[in-house]
Amino acid sequence: VYYFKDKATFNSENPQPMVAAEVINAFIMDYALNQPGGSEQVIENKKLSDWLAPMIQQNDIAATNVLIDHYGMDAMNAYFQDQGYQDTRIERRMLDINVLSTDKENYTSVNDCLALLKKLYSKRKKAPQKEMLQLMEGQQIRSKIPAKIPKNMTIANLSGAQQTVENDIGIVFDKDQPFAIAVLASDVADIVSTRTAIAEFSLAASMLK
């Protein structure tokens, strides 16, 4: 958790790369919208914005795979490194949650996620960060970070799940103490209890003033 007003960080101090699941979509979005043409780029006869909405808000793996195929993993991975996201890497296209893992995986880390969220917040009134946050505010999967926070509070988040992985990252726009939060959980045995724990952790973070 990172509090923007106080510049205070509460971190597990775990720099280990973790399986990203759909959280990788935040980094793909960052790459795509920073390419010439922005959201007006045309990919397979549709504007980029028409691919980003389902990818970010509904975890549409087909949309993610279209963008991975269009831009290429090497180009995106080079961009991630250039931006300082040292632990973030795409090694494969997205798979259905019920498909067994391949020998390749997509990775990120708490540190990289917080770095991206900080950039989004600091440039929230500028393009393309403003558009990225608007997309994340429309996230339809709200069983983790947003679950127990008051409904009148704006939250821009991106949830991910994959077999034994439960992730969620986002920004909670508390008027007094806005904060970024990133939770990456692997080797999950109980999905429900893990999602509840993430929700309770987010609620606790929102109560620290």
Side-chain angles (χ1 to χ4, degrees):
V1 176
Y2 177 80
Y3 293 97
F4 293 105
K5 182 179 178 181
D6 297 339
K7 295 181 172 55
T9 303
F10 294 87
N11 197 326
S12 64
E13 304 300 334
N14 177 12
Q16 179 181 347
M18 305 282 283
V19 174
E22 288 87 356
V23 165
I24 200 69
N25 292 344
F27 295 91
I28 294 174
M29 173 175 61
D30 181 42
Y31 172 87
L33 285 173
N34 277 286
Q35 301 311 299
S39 61
E40 296 299 309
Q41 297 170 69
V42 176
I43 302 170
E44 293 194 5
N45 299 314
K46 292 168 63 174
K47 289 183 179 179
L48 172 61
S49 56
D50 293 328
W51 293 111
L52 291 178
M55 181 182 82
I56 296 299
Q57 298 173 350
Q58 302 167 28
N59 285 359
D60 186 328
I61 63 174
T64 305
N65 287 337
V66 165
L67 298 188
I68 291 175
D69 292 343
H70 177 75
Y71 293 114
M73 297 180 195
D74 290 344
M76 287 190 287
N77 288 332
Y79 174 84
F80 301 153
Q81 291 295 303
D82 183 64
Q83 294 295 305
Y85 307 134
Q86 298 299 315
D87 304 316
T88 300
R89 182 171 180 81
I90 300 176
E91 295 184 351
R92 63 165 174 79
R93 300 168 89 244
M94 300 298 284
L95 299 174
D96 184 274
I97 193 172
N98 296 311
V99 175
L100 292 176
S101 297
T102 67
D103 59 347
K104 296 183 180 295
E105 194 49 88
N106 301 327
Y107 295 99
T108 190
S109 65
V110 168
N111 290 340
D112 283 1
C113 290
L114 283 178
L116 175 59
L117 294 171
K118 288 177 184 179
K119 182 171 73 172
L120 292 181
Y121 185 82
S122 67
K123 299 182 178 181
R124 62 191 179 280
K125 296 182 180 179
K126 301 178 181 179
Q129 287 77 21
K130 181 177 180 180
E131 182 176 356
M132 293 171 66
L133 287 170
Q134 288 173 339
L135 284 165
M136 291 171 66
E137 287 173 16
Q139 169 69 245
Q140 296 181 20
I141 302 170
R142 306 185 63 82
S143 58
K144 301 173 200 175
I145 289 174
K148 298 193 175 186
I149 291 179
K151 304 301 181 185
N152 62 348
M153 197 172 294
T154 300
I155 301 172
N157 74 298
L158 204 163
S159 181
Q162 178 184 310
Q163 294 177 329
T164 59
V165 172
E166 289 293 335
N167 299 338
D168 206 1
I169 68 171
I171 297 173
V172 178
F173 289 91
D174 185 300
K175 62 182 178 63
D176 297 320
Q177 187 68 281
F179 64 92
I181 179 171
V183 182
L184 307 177
S186 61
D187 298 323
V188 171
D190 188 326
I191 292 173
V192 174
S193 64
T194 301
R195 291 178 179 178
T196 300
I198 294 173
E200 290 177 347
F201 177 61
S202 180
L203 175 62
S206 73
M207 297 174 70
L208 289 177
K209 304 296 184 183

